[in-house]
Amino acid sequence: MIKNFVRGFAALSLSLTPLLAPSPVQAADPTETTTLADAVHRIPVADEHREGYTRTAFRHWSAGAVKSDGCNTRAEVLIAEASEAPSVGAHCKITGGEWLSYYDAQEVEDAGVLDVDHMVPLAEAWDSGASTWSAARREAYANDLGAAASLVAVTARTNRAKADQDPSQWLPPLPGAHCRYVSEWAATKLRWDLAADPAELDALAVFASGQCKDTPVAYTAAS
C-alpha cells in the first residue's frame, strides 16, 4: 500500500535523524493550511486559453512511485484508496477489493468500473497555466502521487460527466461531497500555481461564504 509505505518510510527517516543530522534543528513543515475563503483569494485570476491543447501533452500513466512493483500511477491510486485491499497479482493485475466513490457515495467491488480522476482535469490545467510548462512538469502533474487530492478513484460515470469542467459548470451529484470537492479543487490549483477564471472563482466563493466556510484547505507547493 502506497500510504503505508510512505508512512513507514517517514517513520524510518525519523528514527535515523539523530544518526544523519548533527543538529537538532527540525525542518519546517512545508504544508500550508488555510480556509477555503482565504484560498480563493490566493488563486490568481486569469482568462483561460485552450489553444494548442492535446491530452498527449500530459504523459500518463507513468511507472508510479514504486518503480519495481509493476504498477502504474493509476493502479497505485486504486490500491491506495481501496477501503478493502484488493489482491495484486503479476503485472499488477488487481482483483477483488472494495472502494467508495466519494462523488456519488457508490460502493464499488470492481476496479474496472472506476476511473482515476484528475481533480483539476488536464484540459483545465492547460487552460490555467500548464500550457507554458515543460513536458516533464506536465508529466509530473498528470501522475501526482504527492498529494492525496490530486488523483481520486471514482465511478467512471461521474468522472465522464465531469469531463473537463470546473466547479462553475459541474459538481459531484452527492451534495454532501461538495465542500470536500471544492476544497480539494482549490488545494490542487494552489499546489500547482494554476489560475482560475472569474466564473470559477465566483463558484468557489459561493461555497467559501456559505456552507463550506469552515472547510480547511491544505496544500504543499509542487516542486
Side-chain angles (χ1 to χ4, degrees):
M1 296 288 289
I2 298 172
K3 292 178 179 176
N4 291 337
F5 171 80
V6 172
R7 289 171 183 154
F9 181 79
L12 177 61
S13 298
L14 289 173
S15 69
L16 293 176
T17 297
L19 301 176
L20 299 176
S23 170
V25 176
Q26 185 175 3
D29 184 352
T31 301
E32 291 274 352
T33 302
T34 187
T35 63
L36 181 59
D38 181 59
V40 170
H41 292 295
R42 294 188 187 193
I43 300 172
V45 60
D47 292 331
E48 297 183 352
H49 300 282
R50 183 63 56 93
E51 293 84 357
Y53 169 73
T54 61
R55 190 169 174 82
T56 55
F58 295 81
R59 185 177 174 225
H60 65 290
W61 303 103
S62 74
V66 183
K67 309 300 181 187
S68 61
D69 67 358
C71 297
N72 64 16
T73 304
R74 180 185 185 278
E76 288 187 359
V77 172
L78 291 174
I79 295 167
E81 294 196 356
S83 53
E84 182 176 312
S87 297
V88 182
H91 309 294
C92 202
K93 180 177 177 59
I94 296 174
T95 55
E98 291 183 5
W99 292 262
L100 177 65
S101 168
Y102 94 79
Y103 288 3
D104 51 2
Q106 293 298 302
E107 294 181 351
V108 176
E109 297 182 352
D110 177 6
V113 302
L114 293 168
D115 279 354
V116 172
D117 180 34
H118 290 91
M119 173 54 60
V120 174
L122 301 182
E124 168 69 21
W126 177 274
D127 299 349
S128 306
S131 61
T132 65
W133 293 353
S134 67
R137 186 168 177 81
R138 286 195 290 267
E139 180 178 358
Y141 177 85
N143 298 275
D144 184 13
L145 291 168
S150 295
L151 299 169
V152 57
V154 295
T155 53
R157 64 176 173 269
T158 56
N159 182 46
R160 294 166 195 183
K162 171 182 173 178
D164 60 3
Q165 299 176 95
D166 68 39
S168 70
Q169 303 160 313
W170 186 88
L171 289 165
L174 183 69
H178 290 176
C179 288
R180 175 180 172 182
Y181 183 79
V182 295
S183 69
E184 293 187 347
W185 180 281
T188 305
K189 286 263 171 160
L190 290 169
R191 172 169 168 78
W192 288 94
D193 193 25
L194 293 168
D197 65 31
E200 177 186 344
L201 281 179
D202 285 347
L204 295 175
V206 168
F207 287 100
S209 63
Q211 68 189 76
C212 307
K213 62 182 179 181
D214 296 325
T215 303
V217 174
Y219 66 96
T220 303
S223 57

